[in-house]
PDB file of all heavy atoms in Angstrom:
ATOM      1  N   ILE A   1       6.034   3.323  -6.981  1.00  0.00           N
ATOM      2  CA  ILE A   1       4.926   2.469  -7.439  1.00  0.00           C
ATOM      3  C   ILE A   1       5.326   1.001  -7.407  1.00  0.00           C
ATOM      4  O   ILE A   1       4.568   0.140  -6.945  1.00  0.00           O
ATOM      5  CB  ILE A   1       4.476   2.884  -8.850  1.00  0.00           C
ATOM      6  CG1 ILE A   1       3.833   4.278  -8.812  1.00  0.00           C
ATOM      7  CG2 ILE A   1       3.488   1.864  -9.434  1.00  0.00           C
ATOM      8  CD1 ILE A   1       3.634   4.913 -10.173  1.00  0.00           C
ATOM      9  N   PHE A   2       6.540   0.691  -7.877  1.00  0.00           N
ATOM     10  CA  PHE A   2       6.996  -0.698  -7.870  1.00  0.00           C
ATOM     11  C   PHE A   2       7.183  -1.209  -6.433  1.00  0.00           C
ATOM     12  O   PHE A   2       6.925  -2.383  -6.148  1.00  0.00           O
ATOM     13  CB  PHE A   2       8.289  -0.844  -8.666  1.00  0.00           C
ATOM     14  CG  PHE A   2       8.108  -0.674 -10.154  1.00  0.00           C
ATOM     15  CD1 PHE A   2       8.975   0.113 -10.893  1.00  0.00           C
ATOM     16  CD2 PHE A   2       7.067  -1.313 -10.821  1.00  0.00           C
ATOM     17  CE1 PHE A   2       8.811   0.275 -12.265  1.00  0.00           C
ATOM     18  CE2 PHE A   2       6.890  -1.166 -12.195  1.00  0.00           C
ATOM     19  CZ  PHE A   2       7.767  -0.373 -12.916  1.00  0.00           C
ATOM     20  N   LYS A   3       7.620  -0.339  -5.530  1.00  0.00           N
ATOM     21  CA  LYS A   3       7.755  -0.728  -4.119  1.00  0.00           C
ATOM     22  C   LYS A   3       6.389  -1.070  -3.529  1.00  0.00           C
ATOM     23  O   LYS A   3       6.255  -2.002  -2.723  1.00  0.00           O
ATOM     24  CB  LYS A   3       8.410   0.402  -3.318  1.00  0.00           C
ATOM     25  CG  LYS A   3       9.922   0.473  -3.494  1.00  0.00           C
ATOM     26  CD  LYS A   3      10.503   1.769  -2.932  1.00  0.00           C
ATOM     27  CE  LYS A   3      10.335   1.896  -1.455  1.00  0.00           C
ATOM     28  NZ  LYS A   3      10.952   3.163  -0.946  1.00  0.00           N
ATOM     29  N   ILE A   4       5.375  -0.307  -3.907  1.00  0.00           N
ATOM     30  CA  ILE A   4       4.020  -0.605  -3.443  1.00  0.00           C
ATOM     31  C   ILE A   4       3.569  -1.955  -3.990  1.00  0.00           C
ATOM     32  O   ILE A   4       2.967  -2.767  -3.274  1.00  0.00           O
ATOM     33  CB  ILE A   4       3.046   0.525  -3.856  1.00  0.00           C
ATOM     34  CG1 ILE A   4       3.291   1.758  -2.986  1.00  0.00           C
ATOM     35  CG2 ILE A   4       1.593   0.070  -3.749  1.00  0.00           C
ATOM     36  CD1 ILE A   4       2.586   3.008  -3.445  1.00  0.00           C
ATOM     37  N   ASN A   5       3.872  -2.220  -5.258  1.00  0.00           N
ATOM     38  CA  ASN A   5       3.505  -3.499  -5.854  1.00  0.00           C
ATOM     39  C   ASN A   5       4.205  -4.655  -5.140  1.00  0.00           C
ATOM     40  O   ASN A   5       3.617  -5.717  -4.922  1.00  0.00           O
ATOM     41  CB  ASN A   5       3.854  -3.500  -7.345  1.00  0.00           C
ATOM     42  CG  ASN A   5       2.732  -4.072  -8.212  1.00  0.00           C
ATOM     43  OD1 ASN A   5       1.643  -4.345  -7.729  1.00  0.00           O
ATOM     44  ND2 ASN A   5       3.003  -4.233  -9.490  1.00  0.00           N
ATOM     45  N   VAL A   6       5.456  -4.436  -4.769  1.00  0.00           N
ATOM     46  CA  VAL A   6       6.199  -5.456  -4.014  1.00  0.00           C
ATOM     47  C   VAL A   6       5.533  -5.703  -2.663  1.00  0.00           C
ATOM     48  O   VAL A   6       5.379  -6.849  -2.224  1.00  0.00           O
ATOM     49  CB  VAL A   6       7.669  -5.017  -3.819  1.00  0.00           C
ATOM     50  CG1 VAL A   6       8.354  -5.876  -2.764  1.00  0.00           C
ATOM     51  CG2 VAL A   6       8.431  -5.100  -5.136  1.00  0.00           C
ATOM     52  N   ALA A   7       5.124  -4.621  -1.998  1.00  0.00           N
ATOM     53  CA  ALA A   7       4.486  -4.752  -0.686  1.00  0.00           C
ATOM     54  C   ALA A   7       3.138  -5.481  -0.783  1.00  0.00           C
ATOM     55  O   ALA A   7       2.781  -6.257   0.105  1.00  0.00           O
ATOM     56  CB  ALA A   7       4.294  -3.376  -0.065  1.00  0.00           C
ATOM     57  N   LEU A   8       2.415  -5.227  -1.870  1.00  0.00           N
ATOM     58  CA  LEU A   8       1.099  -5.848  -2.033  1.00  0.00           C
ATOM     59  C   LEU A   8       1.195  -7.292  -2.520  1.00  0.00           C
ATOM     60  O   LEU A   8       0.348  -8.123  -2.178  1.00  0.00           O
ATOM     61  CB  LEU A   8       0.255  -5.032  -3.023  1.00  0.00           C
ATOM     62  CG  LEU A   8      -0.136  -3.610  -2.604  1.00  0.00           C
ATOM     63  CD1 LEU A   8      -0.948  -2.936  -3.710  1.00  0.00           C
ATOM     64  CD2 LEU A   8      -0.927  -3.607  -1.300  1.00  0.00           C
ATOM     65  N   TYR A   9       2.238  -7.576  -3.327  1.00  0.00           N
ATOM     66  CA  TYR A   9       2.364  -8.911  -3.926  1.00  0.00           C
ATOM     67  C   TYR A   9       3.784  -9.450  -3.721  1.00  0.00           C
ATOM     68  O   TYR A   9       4.557  -9.608  -4.672  1.00  0.00           O
ATOM     69  CB  TYR A   9       2.016  -8.857  -5.420  1.00  0.00           C
ATOM     70  CG  TYR A   9       0.636  -8.298  -5.667  1.00  0.00           C
ATOM     71  CD1 TYR A   9       0.450  -6.968  -6.027  1.00  0.00           C
ATOM     72  CD2 TYR A   9      -0.498  -9.094  -5.482  1.00  0.00           C
ATOM     73  CE1 TYR A   9      -0.816  -6.439  -6.221  1.00  0.00           C
ATOM     74  CE2 TYR A   9      -1.772  -8.585  -5.677  1.00  0.00           C
ATOM     75  CZ  TYR A   9      -1.919  -7.261  -6.044  1.00  0.00           C
ATOM     76  OH  TYR A   9      -3.190  -6.736  -6.223  1.00  0.00           O
ATOM     77  N   PRO A  10       4.149  -9.741  -2.470  1.00  0.00           N
ATOM     78  CA  PRO A  10       5.534 -10.149  -2.153  1.00  0.00           C
ATOM     79  C   PRO A  10       5.931 -11.509  -2.723  1.00  0.00           C
ATOM     80  O   PRO A  10       7.122 -11.839  -2.724  1.00  0.00           O
ATOM     81  CB  PRO A  10       5.540 -10.165  -0.620  1.00  0.00           C
ATOM     82  CG  PRO A  10       4.112 -10.387  -0.234  1.00  0.00           C
ATOM     83  CD  PRO A  10       3.299  -9.691  -1.275  1.00  0.00           C
ATOM     84  N   ASN A  11       4.981 -12.290  -3.197  1.00  0.00           N
ATOM     85  CA  ASN A  11       5.297 -13.611  -3.746  1.00  0.00           C
ATOM     86  C   ASN A  11       5.287 -13.634  -5.274  1.00  0.00           C
ATOM     87  O   ASN A  11       5.300 -14.712  -5.880  1.00  0.00           O
ATOM     88  CB  ASN A  11       4.303 -14.644  -3.209  1.00  0.00           C
ATOM     89  CG  ASN A  11       4.394 -14.798  -1.701  1.00  0.00           C
ATOM     90  OD1 ASN A  11       5.488 -14.845  -1.149  1.00  0.00           O
ATOM     91  ND2 ASN A  11       3.252 -14.869  -1.030  1.00  0.00           N
ATOM     92  N   SER A  12       5.265 -12.458  -5.867  1.00  0.00           N
ATOM     93  CA  SER A  12       5.276 -12.363  -7.324  1.00  0.00           C
ATOM     94  C   SER A  12       6.687 -12.086  -7.824  1.00  0.00           C
ATOM     95  O   SER A  12       7.333 -11.116  -7.402  1.00  0.00           O
ATOM     96  CB  SER A  12       4.338 -11.242  -7.785  1.00  0.00           C
ATOM     97  OG  SER A  12       4.566 -10.920  -9.138  1.00  0.00           O
ATOM     98  N   SER A  13       7.163 -12.901  -8.734  1.00  0.00           N
ATOM     99  CA  SER A  13       8.478 -12.691  -9.329  1.00  0.00           C
ATOM    100  C   SER A  13       8.521 -11.396 -10.135  1.00  0.00           C
ATOM    101  O   SER A  13       9.512 -10.659 -10.116  1.00  0.00           O
ATOM    102  CB  SER A  13       8.821 -13.877 -10.239  1.00  0.00           C
ATOM    103  OG  SER A  13       9.968 -13.605 -11.014  1.00  0.00           O
ATOM    104  N   ASN A  14       7.432 -11.111 -10.830  1.00  0.00           N
ATOM    105  CA  ASN A  14       7.408  -9.979 -11.751  1.00  0.00           C
ATOM    106  C   ASN A  14       7.571  -8.628 -11.053  1.00  0.00           C
ATOM    107  O   ASN A  14       8.182  -7.713 -11.596  1.00  0.00           O
ATOM    108  CB  ASN A  14       6.107  -9.992 -12.560  1.00  0.00           C
ATOM    109  CG  ASN A  14       6.149  -9.009 -13.700  1.00  0.00           C
ATOM    110  OD1 ASN A  14       7.053  -9.025 -14.525  1.00  0.00           O
ATOM    111  ND2 ASN A  14       5.161  -8.116 -13.751  1.00  0.00           N
ATOM    112  N   VAL A  15       7.007  -8.483  -9.844  1.00  0.00           N
ATOM    113  CA  VAL A  15       7.089  -7.179  -9.177  1.00  0.00           C
ATOM    114  C   VAL A  15       8.533  -6.837  -8.803  1.00  0.00           C
ATOM    115  O   VAL A  15       8.944  -5.669  -8.861  1.00  0.00           O
ATOM    116  CB  VAL A  15       6.163  -7.108  -7.933  1.00  0.00           C
ATOM    117  CG1 VAL A  15       4.707  -7.262  -8.326  1.00  0.00           C
ATOM    118  CG2 VAL A  15       6.544  -8.126  -6.873  1.00  0.00           C
ATOM    119  N   TYR A  16       9.317  -7.862  -8.433  1.00  0.00           N
ATOM    120  CA  TYR A  16      10.726  -7.623  -8.109  1.00  0.00           C
ATOM    121  C   TYR A  16      11.523  -7.319  -9.380  1.00  0.00           C
ATOM    122  O   TYR A  16      12.439  -6.493  -9.372  1.00  0.00           O
ATOM    123  CB  TYR A  16      11.328  -8.834  -7.394  1.00  0.00           C
ATOM    124  CG  TYR A  16      10.748  -9.056  -6.025  1.00  0.00           C
ATOM    125  CD1 TYR A  16       9.720  -9.972  -5.826  1.00  0.00           C
ATOM    126  CD2 TYR A  16      11.208  -8.341  -4.926  1.00  0.00           C
ATOM    127  CE1 TYR A  16       9.165 -10.168  -4.578  1.00  0.00           C
ATOM    128  CE2 TYR A  16      10.665  -8.536  -3.660  1.00  0.00           C
ATOM    129  CZ  TYR A  16       9.646  -9.445  -3.489  1.00  0.00           C
ATOM    130  OH  TYR A  16       9.098  -9.630  -2.248  1.00  0.00           O
ATOM    131  N   ASP A  17      11.171  -7.991 -10.449  1.00  0.00           N
ATOM    132  CA  ASP A  17      11.834  -7.755 -11.734  1.00  0.00           C
ATOM    133  C   ASP A  17      11.605  -6.308 -12.202  1.00  0.00           C
ATOM    134  O   ASP A  17      12.542  -5.635 -12.636  1.00  0.00           O
ATOM    135  CB  ASP A  17      11.288  -8.740 -12.772  1.00  0.00           C
ATOM    136  CG  ASP A  17      12.026  -8.654 -14.091  1.00  0.00           C
ATOM    137  OD1 ASP A  17      13.149  -9.184 -14.186  1.00  0.00           O
ATOM    138  OD2 ASP A  17      11.470  -8.055 -15.028  1.00  0.00           O
ATOM    139  N   SER A  18      10.379  -5.844 -12.081  1.00  0.00           N
ATOM    140  CA  SER A  18      10.054  -4.474 -12.486  1.00  0.00           C
ATOM    141  C   SER A  18      10.736  -3.459 -11.576  1.00  0.00           C
ATOM    142  O   SER A  18      11.260  -2.436 -12.045  1.00  0.00           O
ATOM    143  CB  SER A  18       8.535  -4.262 -12.440  1.00  0.00           C
ATOM    144  OG  SER A  18       7.880  -5.130 -13.330  1.00  0.00           O
ATOM    145  N   TYR A  19      10.714  -3.737 -10.286  1.00  0.00           N
ATOM    146  CA  TYR A  19      11.389  -2.863  -9.320  1.00  0.00           C
ATOM    147  C   TYR A  19      12.882  -2.774  -9.640  1.00  0.00           C
ATOM    148  O   TYR A  19      13.481  -1.682  -9.627  1.00  0.00           O
ATOM    149  CB  TYR A  19      11.148  -3.417  -7.916  1.00  0.00           C
ATOM    150  CG  TYR A  19      11.748  -2.635  -6.778  1.00  0.00           C
ATOM    151  CD1 TYR A  19      11.869  -1.239  -6.829  1.00  0.00           C
ATOM    152  CD2 TYR A  19      12.179  -3.278  -5.623  1.00  0.00           C
ATOM    153  CE1 TYR A  19      12.415  -0.521  -5.774  1.00  0.00           C
ATOM    154  CE2 TYR A  19      12.719  -2.572  -4.553  1.00  0.00           C
ATOM    155  CZ  TYR A  19      12.832  -1.201  -4.641  1.00  0.00           C
ATOM    156  OH  TYR A  19      13.371  -0.481  -3.585  1.00  0.00           O
ATOM    157  N   ALA A  20      13.473  -3.914  -9.982  1.00  0.00           N
ATOM    158  CA  ALA A  20      14.897  -3.942 -10.338  1.00  0.00           C
ATOM    159  C   ALA A  20      15.163  -3.119 -11.602  1.00  0.00           C
ATOM    160  O   ALA A  20      16.171  -2.408 -11.694  1.00  0.00           O
ATOM    161  CB  ALA A  20      15.355  -5.381 -10.537  1.00  0.00           C
ATOM    162  N   ASP A  21      14.260  -3.206 -12.583  1.00  0.00           N
ATOM    163  CA  ASP A  21      14.413  -2.403 -13.806  1.00  0.00           C
ATOM    164  C   ASP A  21      14.482  -0.920 -13.487  1.00  0.00           C
ATOM    165  O   ASP A  21      15.306  -0.184 -14.049  1.00  0.00           O
ATOM    166  CB  ASP A  21      13.231  -2.658 -14.750  1.00  0.00           C
ATOM    167  CG  ASP A  21      13.333  -3.980 -15.495  1.00  0.00           C
ATOM    168  OD1 ASP A  21      14.423  -4.598 -15.474  1.00  0.00           O
ATOM    169  OD2 ASP A  21      12.329  -4.387 -16.100  1.00  0.00           O
ATOM    170  N   ALA A  22      13.614  -0.472 -12.584  1.00  0.00           N
ATOM    171  CA  ALA A  22      13.585   0.945 -12.214  1.00  0.00           C
ATOM    172  C   ALA A  22      14.853   1.346 -11.461  1.00  0.00           C
ATOM    173  O   ALA A  22      15.420   2.418 -11.707  1.00  0.00           O
ATOM    174  CB  ALA A  22      12.353   1.238 -11.360  1.00  0.00           C
ATOM    175  N   LEU A  23      15.310   0.473 -10.574  1.00  0.00           N
ATOM    176  CA  LEU A  23      16.544   0.756  -9.833  1.00  0.00           C
ATOM    177  C   LEU A  23      17.741   0.843 -10.776  1.00  0.00           C
ATOM    178  O   LEU A  23      18.612   1.715 -10.631  1.00  0.00           O
ATOM    179  CB  LEU A  23      16.772  -0.337  -8.785  1.00  0.00           C
ATOM    180  CG  LEU A  23      15.792  -0.340  -7.607  1.00  0.00           C
ATOM    181  CD1 LEU A  23      15.903  -1.650  -6.832  1.00  0.00           C
ATOM    182  CD2 LEU A  23      16.045   0.851  -6.682  1.00  0.00           C
ATOM    183  N   PHE A  24      17.773  -0.072 -11.758  1.00  0.00           N
ATOM    184  CA  PHE A  24      18.847  -0.050 -12.744  1.00  0.00           C
ATOM    185  C   PHE A  24      18.837   1.253 -13.547  1.00  0.00           C
ATOM    186  O   PHE A  24      19.876   1.880 -13.759  1.00  0.00           O
ATOM    187  CB  PHE A  24      18.707  -1.249 -13.678  1.00  0.00           C
ATOM    188  CG  PHE A  24      19.561  -1.158 -14.907  1.00  0.00           C
ATOM    189  CD1 PHE A  24      20.942  -1.137 -14.827  1.00  0.00           C
ATOM    190  CD2 PHE A  24      18.970  -1.074 -16.165  1.00  0.00           C
ATOM    191  CE1 PHE A  24      21.730  -1.044 -15.972  1.00  0.00           C
ATOM    192  CE2 PHE A  24      19.745  -0.973 -17.310  1.00  0.00           C
ATOM    193  CZ  PHE A  24      21.126  -0.962 -17.214  1.00  0.00           C
TER     194      PHE A  24
END
């Protein structure tokens, strides 16, 4: 889900932060 958010909103800081939380 976070990867999809990154793909849809690549210029958003928050989507990468959330994706990183899940990876961690």
Side-chain angles (χ1 to χ4, degrees):
I1 293 167
F2 290 134
K3 281 168 64 178
I4 286 169
N5 225 7
V6 166
L8 295 179
Y9 304 99
N11 297 317
S12 166
S13 170
N14 191 54
V15 297
Y16 293 97
D17 186 77
S18 299
Y19 181 33
D21 283 347
L23 290 166
F24 167 63

